[in-house]
Amino acid sequence: MRAPRRPAWTATLTWKAAVFIVVMCCALAALLGVLVHVSVAGQTVNDSREKALARLTEVSDLYEAGEPLPRFAGVDPPGLPAPLRALAARGERGTMVAEHEGRPTMWAAGPADGPATSPADRPGAGPAGGRALAVRLDYTQSAETIDALDRSILGSSVLAIGATLLVGAFAVTRVTRRLHLTAQVARRISAGDLDARVDDPRTKDPTRPQDEVATVSGALDTMASSLQRKLQSEQRFTADVAHELRTPLTGLSAAAELLPEGRPSELVRDRVRAMRGLTEDLLEISRLDARTETVDLAVHELGPLAERVVRASGTDTEVRVVRDATVETDRRRLERVLGNLVANAHKHGAPPVVVTVDGPVVSVRDHGPGYPAYLLESGPQRFRTESGSKGHGLGLTIAVGQAEVIGAELVFAAGPDGGAEARLRLPEYVRFDEPGSGSASGSGPGE
């Protein structure tokens, strides 16, 4: 049987620090409490014992002189503890705390027949020894003093533990809050926000001492700045190369059109078109990386838009509209995403290729070998394709970037019975009717 899973908050640094503080405070309070209790209780008992033995000496003198004994003294008095009676029977003196008539009492006892050495020397002594002369003192006040001390130790320990826990929790929370901020910045950077920084004030002033959290925060900011510079340099290089290639490619395209008809000229024109397409893709990717794209939102019917994309592709693709929906999106960018998905399905997959519209979700399905494992795991990568396949791996990269711009979610998966399936989920547009109708409709304008 598996053990129950502990709550997630028990793994936090705050919880662990709180448990550590409580355990250490409890251990320290218990140790100090025991030491104080033993010391005070021992001192109180010793004082009462000395007082009881002093009274026993006084009573012994009265007993030997034949004078009446006080009320708190007697020979073999009732209630005398048996161990103390046996000690006195052996000719020794001793003290003991015991209950007498429901009250704590300090007893002191000694031999009543003198320091005899054997039962024969003590007239009237039984086989267990002679009689015991004992005195008793009320030990209630001393016992109450010890009990009050124990309660004070317990109360002060609880207060001290609570105060220490509050102070410790405050100190630990300040550290964990900074750690959470550092983790949030790291997640923002991994999501693509290269401008995110922790900006810990402790890292701004070199003369200010830095703790470990500030060191980690400063290292993260330095890493993010270095990464941002490198990525921006690569983006500028890609954009500059693409821009510089456009002019010679335009001239090369014009020159290719002047070539006489024939197989060689067709090959040249085909390669020029491929180079121009690659250049345009690189430019588009550089704009997407720069995150400077703006959207032109409008309301569109998703079914007719998908059919228009398929017709423009000139491919043998089936369109199924299970449930049409109205979406507010950038039509040009959405057509770019769907066009790239359809082209990729025909280029790397196998027929039949089916585009299905089911509400705000558009899926593009083929029946080929499916997406490679690396793509399903970490998404499309630039200039990486399966061996033997044609293309540069930029089509799906552009589709993912454009989907992010229009606020859509693009997921790559394997088909239920083989093949590859790309699902694009768009935010559905809900149009409210005129005030007073009290109904909402998902249909677009014109219905």
Side-chain angles (χ1 to χ4, degrees):
M1 182 177 179
R2 295 179 60 184
R5 186 176 181 181
R6 295 187 302 171
W9 53 267
T10 58
T12 61
L13 182 61
T14 303
W15 166 254
K16 293 179 180 178
V19 172
F20 176 78
I21 292 173
V22 170
V23 171
M24 293 304 297
C25 286
C26 288
L28 183 61
L31 177 61
L32 294 178
V34 170
L35 292 177
V36 172
H37 173 84
V38 171
S39 176
V40 175
Q43 183 66 34
T44 303
V45 171
N46 288 336
D47 292 343
S48 299
R49 180 181 290 116
E50 291 176 359
K51 186 176 181 180
L53 290 176
R55 287 195 177 185
L56 179 62
T57 301
E58 296 174 359
V59 170
S60 296
D61 294 339
L62 295 176
Y63 180 70
E64 292 175 359
E67 297 183 6
L69 300 178
R71 291 184 305 170
F72 56 84
V75 177
D76 291 334
L80 180 65
L84 197 57
R85 187 188 302 274
L87 184 68
R90 293 196 301 269
E92 301 177 6
R93 303 175 69 180
T95 60
M96 185 176 180
V97 177
E99 291 286 333
H100 179 66
E101 297 179 354
R103 299 171 65 89
T105 303
M106 171 66 76
W107 290 91
D113 302 318
T117 59
S118 67
D121 297 331
R122 295 191 294 269
R131 296 179 299 172
L133 178 63
V135 297
R136 65 179 184 271
L137 297 178
D138 188 5
Y139 194 71
T140 302
Q141 184 176 1
S142 299
E144 290 178 349
T145 301
I146 295 176
D147 291 342
L149 175 65
D150 291 341
R151 289 192 297 271
S152 299
I153 293 174
L154 180 60
S156 59
S157 298
V158 171
L159 291 177
I161 291 173
T164 306
L165 182 60
L166 290 177
V167 174
F170 173 75
V172 173
T173 301
R174 291 189 61 188
V175 175
T176 55
R177 187 183 299 114
R178 293 166 60 198
L179 288 175
H180 284 305
L181 176 60
T182 304
Q184 290 174 2
V185 171
R187 284 191 290 266
R188 288 172 56 190
I189 294 173
S190 64
D193 184 6
L194 299 181
D195 293 324
R197 298 291 185 275
V198 180
D199 288 331
D200 194 318
R202 295 167 181 80
T203 62
K204 302 297 183 182
D205 187 2
T207 62
R208 187 174 181 179
Q210 297 184 11
D211 56 9
E212 289 78 1
V213 180
T215 303
V216 173
S217 301
L220 179 63
D221 288 348
T222 303
M223 181 198 69
S225 299
S226 176
L227 180 63
Q228 185 180 34
R229 286 193 300 269
K230 291 180 179 180
L231 289 178
Q232 289 177 345
S233 176
E234 293 178 0
Q235 291 170 7
R236 285 194 299 268
F237 174 77
T238 302
D240 292 343
V241 168
H243 277 290
E244 292 298 326
L245 286 175
R246 294 182 77 179
T247 301
L249 282 176
T250 302
L252 185 59
S253 177
E257 295 297 330
L258 299 178
L259 294 175
E261 295 296 331
R263 182 61 179 170
S265 60
E266 291 179 2
L267 292 176
V268 171
R269 295 190 188 102
D270 179 68
R271 290 300 86 195
V272 170
R273 282 193 296 267
M275 284 291 295
R276 293 190 66 177
L278 176 59
T279 302
E280 296 299 328
D281 287 346
L282 290 175
L283 284 173
E284 186 171 358
I285 287 178
S286 66
R287 290 193 297 268
L288 292 173
D289 288 340
R291 297 181 179 272
T292 57
E293 297 286 79
T294 57
V295 294
D296 183 15
L297 296 178
V299 179
H300 302 280
E301 296 292 337
L302 193 54
L305 191 147
E307 293 174 349
R308 185 164 55 251
V309 171
V310 170
R311 286 195 304 269
S313 68
T315 58
D316 184 14
T317 303
E318 180 184 357
V319 179
R320 299 175 183 173
V321 180
V322 178
R323 180 173 64 89
D324 201 358
T326 302
V327 294
E328 185 178 18
T329 185
D330 188 323
R331 180 181 60 83
R332 181 183 64 84
R333 298 184 188 278
L334 178 56
E335 290 177 349
R336 176 68 160 157
V337 174
L338 295 179
N340 282 12
L341 295 178
V342 171
N344 183 82
H346 282 281
K347 182 179 295 185
H348 301 288
V353 177
V354 181
V355 176
T356 304
V357 177
D358 188 1
V361 179
V362 183
S363 60
V364 180
R365 169 84 185 282
D366 66 64
H367 293 75
Y371 292 118
Y374 78 87
L375 192 148
L376 295 176
E377 180 179 355
S378 57
Q381 300 179 16
R382 303 170 189 180
F383 298 104
R384 178 174 180 178
T385 59
E386 288 296 276
S387 59
S389 62
K390 297 181 180 180
H392 304 282
L394 300 180
L396 294 183
T397 303
I398 293 174
V400 171
Q402 295 290 9
E404 182 179 354
V405 171
I406 62 177
E409 179 187 8
L410 181 57
V411 178
F412 301 98
D417 54 351
E421 182 178 12
R423 290 190 296 271
L424 180 68
R425 179 178 294 275
L426 295 153
E428 189 169 6
Y429 175 74
V430 178
R431 182 178 64 85
F432 291 93
D433 292 341
E434 294 297 329
S437 63
S439 63
S441 171
S443 59
E447 287 192 3

